[in-house]
């Protein structure tokens, strides 16, 4: 799931409902989320919103039905006809160009009424929405995982050689039985044993050697038992020292677990920004960014340390938080978001 845009939090705050997970279009221009029982769509370029009541968001569609320009948002409506009829659902599409009524999936399915586009709420009148933290105890990198060859121990190599020797012996025995059958007479009966033994065990030996020598396992980058030391508060004009303590989760079958070599830490400020046209919008701005390296590694324990400093703060009310990102995908959503309490400047 992508990182939810602050405009969705602001709209949900005005509507009085908590926002759901965000869905983003392939070009990144549109985002949609459930707010109560309605689907709210935001246009991040034109800074406008669209509210579709009574439908559930499914996904953005780059190949909508004929006659509708891409991209479109696929939603699902739900109704209960009578006590004798079960609940039924219908797929619909909302065109994002002009927010026309949703197109039904079948002629018998009624279209869901929609509202027109409207500007985002003014954050100066609505106030800052409640901040939602994400403090998971475990995290697994969503970036493509590397693979490596499985290293065998001494006992593993001994077992591998014994298994290969048994397969080779049975294949050689089958070949020898075939040669015995060539002598003629009653010895042709050895052909009944030699052919299956040689065919089965020779193929099995080749497959065994190839598959075991090329056996690979996934290297899973993950952390467990994460705990962020963020202190009692911070001052924007003073450095902020933080640490993340975690452990390496135990390895699962067919993989090896490792901790990331570094993580990306960002100091974010959610504040109201004045646009050139006079409108006010709620934005999340990165005030400082650094790469946190592992400073202490004992057995399966890891400690990442970093220092952030914001500098002069923006005027007006604001919310501060720190966001930790995977170094392999720094532009993706953060895996940990923790709020910070701003202290008065000295």
């Amino acid at each position: 799931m992508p990182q939810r845009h602050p405009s969705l939090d602001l709209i949900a705050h005005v509507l009085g409902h908590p926002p759901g997970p965000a869905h983003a279009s392939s070009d990144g221009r549109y985002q949609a989320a459930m707010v109560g029982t309605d689907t709210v769509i935001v246009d991040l370029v034109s800074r406008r919103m669209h509210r579709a009541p009574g439908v559930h968001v499914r996904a953005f569609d780059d190949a909508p039905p004929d006659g509708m320009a891409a991209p479109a948002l696929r939603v699902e409506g739900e109704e209960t006809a009578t006590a004798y009829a079960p609940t039924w659902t219908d797929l619909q599409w909302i065109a994002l160009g002009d927010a026309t009524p949703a197109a039904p999936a079948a002629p018998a399915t009624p279209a869901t009424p929609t509202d027109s586009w409207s500007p985002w709420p003014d954050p100066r009148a609505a106030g800052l929405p409640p901040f939602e933290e994400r403090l998971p105890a475990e995290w697994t990198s969503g970036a493509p995982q590397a693979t490596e060859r499985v290293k065998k121990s001494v006992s593993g190599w001994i077992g591998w050689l014994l298994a290969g020797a048994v397969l080779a012996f049975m294949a050689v025995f089958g070949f020898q039985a075939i040669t015995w059958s060539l002598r003629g007479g009653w010895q042709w009966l050895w052909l009944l044993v030699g052919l299956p033994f040689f065919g089965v065990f020779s193929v099995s030996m080749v497959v065994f050697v190839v598959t075991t020598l090329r056996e690979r396992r996934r290297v899973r980058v993950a952390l467990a038992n994460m705990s962020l030391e963020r202190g009692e508060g911070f001052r924007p004009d003073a450095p902020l020292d933080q640490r993340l303590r975690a452990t390496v989760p135990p390895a699962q079958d067919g993989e090896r677990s490792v901790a990331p070599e570094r993580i990306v830490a960002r100091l974010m400020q959610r504040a109201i920004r004045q646009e050139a046209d006079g409108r006010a919008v709620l934005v999340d701005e990165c005030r400082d960014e650094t790469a946190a390296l592992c400073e202490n590694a004992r057995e399966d324990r890891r400690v990442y340390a970093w220092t952030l400093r914001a500098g002069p703060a923006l005027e007006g009310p604001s919310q501060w938080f720190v966001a930790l990102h995977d170094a392999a995908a720094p532009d993706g959503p953060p895996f940990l978001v923790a709020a910070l309490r701003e202290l008065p400047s000295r």
Side-chain angles (χ1 to χ4, degrees), residues 71-83:
L73 180 66
R74 186 169 69 250
V75 296
E76 189 174 23
E78 184 173 345
E79 295 184 5
T80 302
T82 64

Side-chain angles (χ1 to χ4, degrees), residues 46-58:
S46 301
R47 303 190 183 279
R48 55 181 184 171
M49 60 170 286
H50 172 70
R51 182 180 176 187
V55 293
H56 300 266
V57 60
R58 286 296 174 258

Side-chain angles (χ1 to χ4, degrees), residues 267-306:
L267 181 60
M268 307 292 294
Q269 182 184 19
R270 175 168 290 185
I272 301 174
R273 186 176 64 188
Q274 193 76 19
E275 296 290 301
D277 56 2
R279 292 185 300 175
V281 294
L282 188 65
V283 295
D284 288 345
E285 291 194 0
C286 178
R287 304 305 306 277
D288 195 13
E289 177 180 341
T290 186
L293 303 178
C294 182
E295 73 169 13
N296 190 359
R298 296 181 180 178
E299 296 180 355
D300 63 341
R301 298 181 181 180
R302 298 294 185 270
V303 178
Y304 299 87
W306 62 87

Side-chain angles (χ1 to χ4, degrees), residues 65-331:
D66 295 340
M68 183 177 296
L73 180 66
R74 186 169 69 250
V75 296
E76 189 174 23
E78 184 173 345
E79 295 184 5
T80 302
T82 64
Y84 304 98
T87 302
W88 55 271
T89 59
D90 60 295
L91 289 177
Q92 306 165 12
W93 283 262
I94 297 179
L96 300 178
D98 53 0
T100 55
T109 304
T112 300
T114 58
D115 301 330
S116 59
W117 290 102
S118 59
W120 289 350
D122 191 340
R124 294 170 297 188
L128 297 179
F131 186 77
E132 180 182 357
E133 291 186 312
R134 292 198 299 274
L135 302 172
E138 297 183 357
W139 165 77
T140 299
S141 174
Q145 303 295 303
T147 59
E148 65 179 8
R149 288 188 177 182
V150 179
K151 297 181 179 180
K152 293 182 176 62
S153 60
V154 176
S155 60
W157 277 111
I158 294 176
W160 182 85
L161 292 174
L162 290 177
V166 170
L167 292 175
F169 172 79
M170 300 302 290
V172 171
F173 172 75
F175 180 79
Q176 186 64 36
I178 294 175
T179 59
W180 292 339
S181 67
L182 298 178
R183 298 176 182 177
W186 64 268
Q187 297 194 30
W188 68 269
L189 294 175
W190 283 109
L191 189 65
L192 301 178
V193 178
L195 282 177
F197 266 61
F198 179 73
V200 172
F201 287 101
S202 60
V203 173
S204 299
M205 183 183 65
V206 173
V207 172
F208 171 76
V209 172
V210 171
T211 54
T212 52
L213 290 180
R214 297 182 62 183
E215 183 181 2
R216 303 184 69 87
R217 62 182 175 183
R218 187 171 71 109
V219 181
R220 182 168 66 102
V221 180
L223 293 174
N225 303 318
M226 293 190 299
S227 175
L228 178 65
E229 297 179 359
R230 47 181 160 172
E232 298 180 356
F234 89 107
R235 293 177 174 85
D237 56 350
L240 172 65
D241 297 326
Q242 290 185 315
R243 284 181 175 86
L244 177 70
R245 300 182 182 273
T247 60
V248 181
Q252 301 177 3
D253 294 339
E255 68 178 20
R256 182 172 67 93
S257 299
V258 297
E261 297 181 358
R262 62 190 183 100
I263 58 178
V264 176
R266 292 172 180 166
L267 181 60
M268 307 292 294
Q269 182 184 19
R270 175 168 290 185
I272 301 174
R273 186 176 64 188
Q274 193 76 19
E275 296 290 301
D277 56 2
R279 292 185 300 175
V281 294
L282 188 65
V283 295
D284 288 345
E285 291 194 0
C286 178
R287 304 305 306 277
D288 195 13
E289 177 180 341
T290 186
L293 303 178
C294 182
E295 73 169 13
N296 190 359
R298 296 181 180 178
E299 296 180 355
D300 63 341
R301 298 181 181 180
R302 298 294 185 270
V303 178
Y304 299 87
W306 62 87
T307 301
L308 296 169
R309 186 165 185 168
L314 299 179
E315 297 182 358
S318 62
Q319 296 169 336
W320 293 87
F321 60 96
V322 61
L324 302 184
H325 294 256
D326 184 4
D331 297 330

